[in-house]
Amino acid sequence: MPLDEQLTAFIDGELEAAERDRIERLIESDATIAERFNLLSRSNLPFREAFEPLLAAAPSARLDTMLAAIPSTDANKKAASGIGRRGFLGAIAACLVAGIAIDRAAIGISHRLSKPDEGSEWRAVVAQYLSLYTPDTLSGPAGDRAQQVAQLSEVGSKVGLALTPEAVAIPGIDFKRAILLNYDDKPLAQIAYLDPESGPMALCITPSTAGVSAPDMENRRGMNVVYWSDAAHAFMLIGHLPIDRMKALADDVRGRLTA
């Protein structure tokens, strides 16, 4: 497990090439490291802007009154250490502001890609939605083959892709349902599965004009994601299985969908 300092240096592009490649391989192969990496990468929060109104609204008059009420013996003790009462308060305030200012340096901000790819937003929405699923969400019967064919045919027609039970089957994992969602005024097909060991999984498909891209991997909300695109569609497979297993399943279904 790389130290947070190493992951932060990786995020900020401060590692030598060999170490950078090593960390990148670890992120791609280890779900725990990938989750920690994503946590650090998401930490670009406007801490200073959030706290400035609180600092401006600080009850300075009340603080002055409290300081004046401190017995002189305490003041002498603080003065003896080289810090007066107001100087001590000022030092605390300065430390607070400085602490806010170093949020990026301390925990890392930027992703190894300076700009998110075009599909990152829809994958984030899918991950947020699927994170609400439990095994009970998908515990109902999947229906017979005729019902599955009807669901997949309707959903596939909306995203412009021929979908059949055979094309979307995932070995060892139960097909549960195919539903049509909408994201950014575009149809989004969600094919839901239930793995008896790891829980809910989904294959999602939406029309895309971003062009062909090879499979890539990421971790979102504690789930592993494999995503890719062809000339007309963007795909993602998301679930709780280890990333190497998710990659193998995605390669299998991708081969059938593009055959």
Side-chain angles (χ1 to χ4, degrees):
M1 184 71 180
L3 298 175
D4 284 359
E5 291 83 357
Q6 292 174 296
L7 289 174
T8 299
F10 173 80
I11 291 168
D12 288 337
E14 297 174 354
L15 296 179
E16 298 294 334
E19 182 67 1
R20 183 176 64 249
D21 292 342
R22 184 184 75 85
I23 297 294
E24 187 168 10
R25 288 193 299 271
L26 288 173
I27 292 170
E28 292 175 351
S29 63
D30 189 306
T32 301
I33 296 174
E35 183 175 0
R36 185 63 182 167
F37 166 76
N38 277 278
L39 176 64
L40 295 175
S41 297
R42 290 196 299 268
S43 298
N44 189 11
L45 302 176
F47 294 115
R48 178 183 291 275
E49 292 81 354
F51 279 97
E52 275 180 346
L54 296 178
L55 293 173
S60 56
R62 186 184 303 174
L63 290 174
D64 285 340
T65 301
M66 293 172 62
L67 286 170
I70 296 175
S72 59
T73 53
D74 289 347
N76 292 337
K77 290 177 182 178
K78 291 181 175 63
S81 67
I83 305 176
R85 289 175 295 164
R86 285 178 171 75
F88 183 68
L89 181 62
I92 292 175
C95 288
L96 174 62
V97 174
I100 295 169
I102 64 170
D103 61 304
R104 184 184 187 282
I107 57 180
I109 301 305
S110 61
H111 192 278
R112 60 190 173 94
L113 299 176
S114 59
K115 294 192 298 183
D117 62 277
E118 182 182 346
S120 63
E121 291 186 2
W122 82 276
R123 296 196 305 272
V125 171
V126 169
Q128 182 177 18
Y129 184 74
L130 197 69
S131 69
L132 303 177
Y133 280 26
T134 70
D136 290 338
T137 308
L138 301 172
S139 61
D144 58 23
R145 174 179 167 77
Q147 292 172 311
Q148 295 179 23
V149 168
Q151 288 182 26
L152 289 167
S153 177
E154 180 179 0
V155 168
S157 67
K158 298 296 185 181
V159 296
L161 192 65
L163 300 176
T164 65
E166 292 76 20
V168 301
I170 297 181
I173 299 177
D174 296 332
F175 170 94
K176 301 303 292 186
R177 69 189 186 201
I179 60 175
L180 187 68
L181 305 172
N182 182 283
Y183 174 73
D184 199 19
D185 295 326
K186 294 190 296 186
L188 193 161
Q190 184 199 78
I191 303 162
Y193 308 83
L194 184 60
D195 178 24
E197 295 184 3
S198 66
M201 179 183 297
L203 171 66
C204 297
I205 308 166
T206 189
S208 173
T209 57
V212 178
S213 66
D216 204 347
M217 295 165 284
E218 63 186 3
N219 184 279
R220 290 185 181 271
R221 294 185 172 267
M223 294 173 285
N224 287 315
V225 181
V226 183
Y227 61 95
W228 68 96
S229 63
D230 62 18
H233 302 88
F235 304 82
M236 65 179 287
L237 182 67
I238 178 171
H240 298 273
L241 286 171
I243 192 63
D244 55 343
R245 178 68 174 143
M246 292 291 295
K247 177 66 164 57
L249 295 176
D251 286 344
D252 180 57
V253 74
R254 183 170 66 97
R256 282 181 270 116
L257 289 172
T258 58

PDB file of all heavy atoms in Angstrom, residues 108-121:
ATOM      1  N   GLY A 108      -3.511  16.385  -1.806  1.00  0.00           N
ATOM      2  CA  GLY A 108      -3.491  16.132  -3.245  1.00  0.00           C
ATOM      3  C   GLY A 108      -4.808  16.524  -3.890  1.00  0.00           C
ATOM      4  O   GLY A 108      -5.861  16.262  -3.352  1.00  0.00           O
ATOM      5  N   ILE A 109      -4.722  17.140  -5.065  1.00  0.00           N
ATOM      6  CA  ILE A 109      -5.931  17.616  -5.687  1.00  0.00           C
ATOM      7  C   ILE A 109      -6.133  17.050  -7.090  1.00  0.00           C
ATOM      8  O   ILE A 109      -7.097  16.384  -7.350  1.00  0.00           O
ATOM      9  CB  ILE A 109      -5.917  19.163  -5.757  1.00  0.00           C
ATOM     10  CG1 ILE A 109      -5.791  19.744  -4.356  1.00  0.00           C
ATOM     11  CG2 ILE A 109      -7.167  19.678  -6.412  1.00  0.00           C
ATOM     12  CD1 ILE A 109      -6.850  19.271  -3.399  1.00  0.00           C
ATOM     13  N   SER A 110      -5.210  17.308  -7.978  1.00  0.00           N
ATOM     14  CA  SER A 110      -5.465  17.036  -9.386  1.00  0.00           C
ATOM     15  C   SER A 110      -5.422  15.552  -9.682  1.00  0.00           C
ATOM     16  O   SER A 110      -4.757  14.785  -9.011  1.00  0.00           O
ATOM     17  CB  SER A 110      -4.400  17.737 -10.253  1.00  0.00           C
ATOM     18  OG  SER A 110      -3.117  17.236  -9.935  1.00  0.00           O
ATOM     19  N   HIS A 111      -6.153  15.147 -10.676  1.00  0.00           N
ATOM     20  CA  HIS A 111      -6.121  13.779 -11.192  1.00  0.00           C
ATOM     21  C   HIS A 111      -4.949  13.672 -12.144  1.00  0.00           C
ATOM     22  O   HIS A 111      -4.446  14.663 -12.639  1.00  0.00           O
ATOM     23  CB  HIS A 111      -7.445  13.503 -11.915  1.00  0.00           C
ATOM     24  CG  HIS A 111      -7.684  12.063 -12.243  1.00  0.00           C
ATOM     25  ND1 HIS A 111      -7.143  11.451 -13.332  1.00  0.00           N
ATOM     26  CD2 HIS A 111      -8.410  11.123 -11.600  1.00  0.00           C
ATOM     27  CE1 HIS A 111      -7.539  10.193 -13.374  1.00  0.00           C
ATOM     28  NE2 HIS A 111      -8.300   9.975 -12.328  1.00  0.00           N
ATOM     29  N   ARG A 112      -4.512  12.422 -12.415  1.00  0.00           N
ATOM     30  CA  ARG A 112      -3.381  12.273 -13.334  1.00  0.00           C
ATOM     31  C   ARG A 112      -3.759  12.751 -14.748  1.00  0.00           C
ATOM     32  O   ARG A 112      -2.879  13.013 -15.574  1.00  0.00           O
ATOM     33  CB  ARG A 112      -2.928  10.799 -13.386  1.00  0.00           C
ATOM     34  CG  ARG A 112      -3.997   9.822 -13.845  1.00  0.00           C
ATOM     35  CD  ARG A 112      -3.521   8.389 -13.628  1.00  0.00           C
ATOM     36  NE  ARG A 112      -4.543   7.405 -13.896  1.00  0.00           N
ATOM     37  CZ  ARG A 112      -4.705   6.796 -15.039  1.00  0.00           C
ATOM     38  NH1 ARG A 112      -3.923   7.096 -16.058  1.00  0.00           N
ATOM     39  NH2 ARG A 112      -5.647   5.888 -15.195  1.00  0.00           N
ATOM     40  N   LEU A 113      -5.048  12.845 -15.026  1.00  0.00           N
ATOM     41  CA  LEU A 113      -5.493  13.493 -16.254  1.00  0.00           C
ATOM     42  C   LEU A 113      -5.982  14.882 -15.871  1.00  0.00           C
ATOM     43  O   LEU A 113      -6.848  15.033 -15.022  1.00  0.00           O
ATOM     44  CB  LEU A 113      -6.635  12.703 -16.897  1.00  0.00           C
ATOM     45  CG  LEU A 113      -6.270  11.267 -17.297  1.00  0.00           C
ATOM     46  CD1 LEU A 113      -7.514  10.566 -17.834  1.00  0.00           C
ATOM     47  CD2 LEU A 113      -5.174  11.261 -18.342  1.00  0.00           C
ATOM     48  N   SER A 114      -5.454  15.899 -16.510  1.00  0.00           N
ATOM     49  CA  SER A 114      -5.774  17.258 -16.100  1.00  0.00           C
ATOM     50  C   SER A 114      -7.234  17.605 -16.344  1.00  0.00           C
ATOM     51  O   SER A 114      -7.814  18.402 -15.630  1.00  0.00           O
ATOM     52  CB  SER A 114      -4.890  18.250 -16.852  1.00  0.00           C
ATOM     53  OG  SER A 114      -5.066  18.118 -18.250  1.00  0.00           O
ATOM     54  N   LYS A 115      -7.858  16.986 -17.362  1.00  0.00           N
ATOM     55  CA  LYS A 115      -9.267  17.236 -17.605  1.00  0.00           C
ATOM     56  C   LYS A 115      -9.987  15.897 -17.632  1.00  0.00           C
ATOM     57  O   LYS A 115      -9.494  14.931 -18.214  1.00  0.00           O
ATOM     58  CB  LYS A 115      -9.467  17.945 -18.955  1.00  0.00           C
ATOM     59  CG  LYS A 115      -8.889  19.332 -19.018  1.00  0.00           C
ATOM     60  CD  LYS A 115      -9.379  20.059 -20.247  1.00  0.00           C
ATOM     61  CE  LYS A 115      -8.941  19.370 -21.519  1.00  0.00           C
ATOM     62  NZ  LYS A 115      -9.346  20.096 -22.724  1.00  0.00           N
ATOM     63  N   PRO A 116     -11.185  15.804 -17.025  1.00  0.00           N
ATOM     64  CA  PRO A 116     -11.917  14.549 -17.083  1.00  0.00           C
ATOM     65  C   PRO A 116     -12.351  14.261 -18.504  1.00  0.00           C
ATOM     66  O   PRO A 116     -12.607  15.166 -19.291  1.00  0.00           O
ATOM     67  CB  PRO A 116     -13.124  14.812 -16.182  1.00  0.00           C
ATOM     68  CG  PRO A 116     -13.285  16.291 -16.184  1.00  0.00           C
ATOM     69  CD  PRO A 116     -11.900  16.847 -16.320  1.00  0.00           C
ATOM     70  N   ASP A 117     -12.448  12.966 -18.838  1.00  0.00           N
ATOM     71  CA  ASP A 117     -12.895  12.630 -20.173  1.00  0.00           C
ATOM     72  C   ASP A 117     -14.381  12.947 -20.289  1.00  0.00           C
ATOM     73  O   ASP A 117     -15.088  13.142 -19.306  1.00  0.00           O
ATOM     74  CB  ASP A 117     -12.624  11.156 -20.475  1.00  0.00           C
ATOM     75  CG  ASP A 117     -13.386  10.247 -19.529  1.00  0.00           C
ATOM     76  OD1 ASP A 117     -12.894  10.021 -18.406  1.00  0.00           O
ATOM     77  OD2 ASP A 117     -14.477   9.797 -19.912  1.00  0.00           O
ATOM     78  N   GLU A 118     -14.852  12.959 -21.515  1.00  0.00           N
ATOM     79  CA  GLU A 118     -16.220  13.401 -21.779  1.00  0.00           C
ATOM     80  C   GLU A 118     -17.249  12.557 -21.041  1.00  0.00           C
ATOM     81  O   GLU A 118     -18.294  13.048 -20.642  1.00  0.00           O
ATOM     82  CB  GLU A 118     -16.484  13.343 -23.286  1.00  0.00           C
ATOM     83  CG  GLU A 118     -17.869  13.832 -23.698  1.00  0.00           C
ATOM     84  CD  GLU A 118     -18.109  13.714 -25.188  1.00  0.00           C
ATOM     85  OE1 GLU A 118     -17.130  13.506 -25.919  1.00  0.00           O
ATOM     86  OE2 GLU A 118     -19.259  13.824 -25.610  1.00  0.00           O
ATOM     87  N   GLY A 119     -16.959  11.269 -20.846  1.00  0.00           N
ATOM     88  CA  GLY A 119     -17.947  10.380 -20.242  1.00  0.00           C
ATOM     89  C   GLY A 119     -17.894  10.297 -18.746  1.00  0.00           C
ATOM     90  O   GLY A 119     -18.682   9.556 -18.141  1.00  0.00           O
ATOM     91  N   SER A 120     -17.009  11.016 -18.100  1.00  0.00           N
ATOM     92  CA  SER A 120     -16.857  10.851 -16.660  1.00  0.00           C
ATOM     93  C   SER A 120     -18.108  11.255 -15.896  1.00  0.00           C
ATOM     94  O   SER A 120     -18.421  10.680 -14.854  1.00  0.00           O
ATOM     95  CB  SER A 120     -15.651  11.650 -16.157  1.00  0.00           C
ATOM     96  OG  SER A 120     -15.847  13.033 -16.370  1.00  0.00           O
ATOM     97  N   GLU A 121     -18.854  12.240 -16.393  1.00  0.00           N
ATOM     98  CA  GLU A 121     -20.025  12.711 -15.664  1.00  0.00           C
ATOM     99  C   GLU A 121     -21.134  11.665 -15.657  1.00  0.00           C
ATOM    100  O   GLU A 121     -21.754  11.423 -14.626  1.00  0.00           O
ATOM    101  CB  GLU A 121     -20.520  14.024 -16.263  1.00  0.00           C
ATOM    102  CG  GLU A 121     -19.574  15.196 -16.018  1.00  0.00           C
ATOM    103  CD  GLU A 121     -20.158  16.503 -16.501  1.00  0.00           C
ATOM    104  OE1 GLU A 121     -21.307  16.498 -16.995  1.00  0.00           O
ATOM    105  OE2 GLU A 121     -19.475  17.528 -16.391  1.00  0.00           O
TER     106      GLU A 121
END
